[in-house]
Amino acid sequence: MPSASSVSPTAHRLQLLASYIRRSDICPGLPLTAIIATTHRCNMTCKMCLRAVSTFDGPNMEFDFFKRVVDQWIPYLRYISLDGPGETTMNPDAFEMIRYAKSRGIRVMFSTNATLLDGTMADAILDSGVDLIIFSVNGVTPEVYRAVHGRTCYEKTVANIRGFLARKLERQMPILVSLQMIRLPETLPQVGAFYRQWQRVPGVDFVRVKKDVVCIEGVCLEEARQCIIRRNPCSRLWHGPIFVETNGDVYASPGILYKAGPVGNVKESSLAEIWNGEQIRAMRRAHIRGDISGFPECVDCAYPRPRLPLIIAGFLLDPFAVGKLVPHAERLAFWHRLPLYEKIAWKSAAGPH
C-alpha cells in the first residue's frame, strides 16, 4: 500500500470505488468530503430546520481545533462544506477557516441565509477565497418567506444577495453562487417562479430547488417521508461526506444526522480509527446485506438515493465537480421526471411551471 502522501486524488477515488464495488466494509485512506459544523448560533427560526425540534447551544468551533481536524485529513480531503445547525457567518473565525483550508488545497463551500450580508461581510467572503456560496431563500414572496423562515425580512435578504452579486462582478471574482430553495408545502407552488426570478441574474451560477432532507414531522411534503428498500448500498458510507460537529463528534453521514448517535469523536480517536471503526463498518455491512432494519436512522434517511450510474460517477469525478452537477441532475429529475434517483414521486398537483 503506497503512503498517504503518494496517493493521487484520482487513485484514491478509484480505491474507494473498488472498495464499494467489492462490497468491502473497510475503506482505504479517509473520505473525500466533509461537512464541518462551525457554529450552533443562528438568527433564524426556519420551520424545516433541525433547530425546530432539537436544541443546539454548544460553543463555536475554534480555529485551532478546525486546523487540527483538517491536518489529520490531508491529503485525502478534497472538499469541505462548512454547514451545520447554525449560520456559518456568525462564527468570527469562519473566514480564517476557509483561508486555511484553501491553503491546504481543499475546496470550500458554505450556505447562508444572507440576512447579515452587508458590504463588509460580502468583501470578507470574497477575500476568503471560498469556492461556492449557497444563498438559502425559501419563497419568492414575503408571505411564503415569512411562513418558512419565521422572519419578515424577504426584501432585505434579496437586496443583500443582489448587492453581493454586484460586488462579485465588480471585483471579477471566480466564486460560484447558488440560489437554493427547499421543496416544502409552501414553496412547491413557487418552484417555477423561483427559477424565473434567479436563473438569468448576472453573477448567479446555479439555481437549485432541493429536496427536504431533514423531514420534520408535519412540516415536510408527503413524498419526502416515503421510504423504500435500497437497491444499492449508500455510497456516502464509502466516500463521504462524514459530519464533524463543533465538539468533535463524528456522524457517519449527514443523511442520518441526529437520528442516531455519533460513530466517534475526533478529540478521543483519530479520523482513521473512526472511518474504519466498528460502528461505521457495521453500517456498511448492513447496506451490503441489503438489510438496514437494524439502523432505523438509515431506513428513515431522506437523502436522495441515486441510481448506480450516478453512484459510480460520484466516485470517479472530483467531489467539487459532483457538487456542481447535482443541481442539474435534480432539475432534470424534477422537470423531466428522468429516473436518475431510486424514487421520484410527486404528490402535489402544483407540479413544474
Side-chain angles (χ1 to χ4, degrees):
M1 175 70 69
S3 66
S5 60
S6 67
V7 177
S8 72
T10 301
H12 182 217
R13 294 197 299 270
L14 290 173
Q15 290 171 359
L16 292 174
L17 175 59
S19 180
Y20 180 82
I21 291 174
R22 293 197 306 266
R23 299 298 192 254
S24 171
D25 66 342
I26 297 178
C27 293
L30 288 169
L32 303 165
T33 61
I35 299 177
I36 300 179
T38 61
T39 185
H40 284 179
R41 299 175 61 201
C42 191
N43 62 336
M44 300 289 271
T45 56
C46 304
K47 64 185 299 183
M48 71 292 188
C49 179
L50 284 166
R51 301 175 68 88
V53 293
S54 299
T55 300
F56 299 94
D57 54 5
N60 287 339
M61 179 177 283
E62 297 180 351
F63 172 74
D64 287 343
F65 177 58
F66 174 84
K67 182 175 180 291
R68 291 200 303 272
V69 172
V70 170
D71 287 347
Q72 277 194 60
W73 227 312
I74 302 298
Y76 300 108
L77 186 59
R78 309 305 302 166
Y79 187 27
I80 296 176
S81 170
L82 294 183
D83 285 316
E87 164 63 30
T88 302
T89 60
M90 295 184 75
N91 184 334
D93 291 336
F95 301 125
E96 186 178 7
M97 294 175 182
I98 294 171
R99 288 191 292 271
Y100 182 74
K102 293 290 296 179
S103 75
R104 300 306 307 268
I106 301 167
R107 300 236 188 207
V108 184
M109 64 80 63
F110 72 90
S111 61
T112 173
N113 58 45
T115 57
L116 305 175
L117 187 61
D118 58 13
T120 300
M121 181 176 290
D123 285 331
I125 292 171
L126 293 170
D127 291 338
S128 72
V130 68
D131 296 279
L132 168 66
I133 186 168
I134 297 174
F135 294 123
S136 178
V137 184
N138 290 283
V140 298
T141 61
E143 295 76 19
V144 169
Y145 182 91
R146 182 176 63 251
V148 175
H149 289 281
R151 286 188 58 190
T152 306
C153 56
Y154 173 74
E155 292 90 349
K156 179 178 184 294
T157 300
V158 171
N160 289 348
I161 294 170
R162 290 188 177 273
F164 178 88
L165 294 171
R167 262 181 161 78
K168 167 193 168 179
L169 295 174
E170 179 184 357
R171 295 182 55 181
Q172 299 182 351
M173 301 298 284
I175 179 175
L176 298 176
V177 174
S178 175
L179 266 292
Q180 179 173 288
M181 184 172 74
I182 296 175
R183 293 200 309 267
L184 298 166
E186 295 88 349
T187 63
L188 189 61
Q190 297 192 341
V191 168
F194 186 76
Y195 278 113
R196 290 192 295 272
Q197 180 182 16
W198 292 108
Q199 64 186 351
R200 290 190 174 89
V201 175
V204 173
D205 299 280
F206 308 103
V207 180
R208 184 183 187 189
V209 177
K210 182 183 176 182
K211 179 181 178 181
D212 179 10
V213 297
V214 177
C215 295
I216 294 173
E217 189 80 42
V219 173
C220 63
L221 289 166
E222 181 183 351
E223 59 162 77
R225 298 198 65 85
Q226 295 177 348
C227 298
I228 60 172
I229 297 174
R230 285 185 175 274
R231 298 183 184 180
N232 300 288
C234 176
S235 59
R236 293 178 183 87
L237 295 174
W238 276 261
H239 62 51
I242 56 175
F243 186 97
V244 182
E245 251 287 19
T246 57
N247 65 354
D249 282 343
V250 177
Y251 292 81
S253 166
I256 60 172
L257 191 56
Y258 304 115
K259 296 178 181 178
V263 294
N265 186 290
V266 291
K267 293 182 179 179
E268 301 169 359
S269 306
S270 70
L271 280 168
E273 291 170 330
I274 295 171
W275 180 234
N276 280 310
E278 180 52 36
Q279 287 179 269
I280 196 168
R281 288 178 63 192
M283 295 178 70
R284 291 180 187 132
R285 289 194 294 268
H287 280 254
I288 291 167
R289 292 194 304 269
D291 179 8
I292 57 176
S293 58
F295 295 91
E297 64 271 24
C298 293
V299 174
D300 193 43
C301 176
Y303 262 58
R305 300 176 180 182
R307 294 180 183 272
L308 190 58
L310 287 187
I311 290 175
I312 293 175
F315 282 97
L316 294 178
L317 297 177
D318 177 84
F320 188 69
V322 172
K324 292 192 293 184
L325 291 173
V326 164
H328 299 295
E330 291 174 334
R331 190 169 182 180
L332 286 171
F334 181 78
W335 292 101
H336 302 291
R337 313 283 177 96
L338 294 182
L340 301 177
Y341 298 91
E342 287 189 2
K343 185 177 182 65
I344 301 174
W346 310 110
K347 291 295 184 180
S348 171
H353 299 283

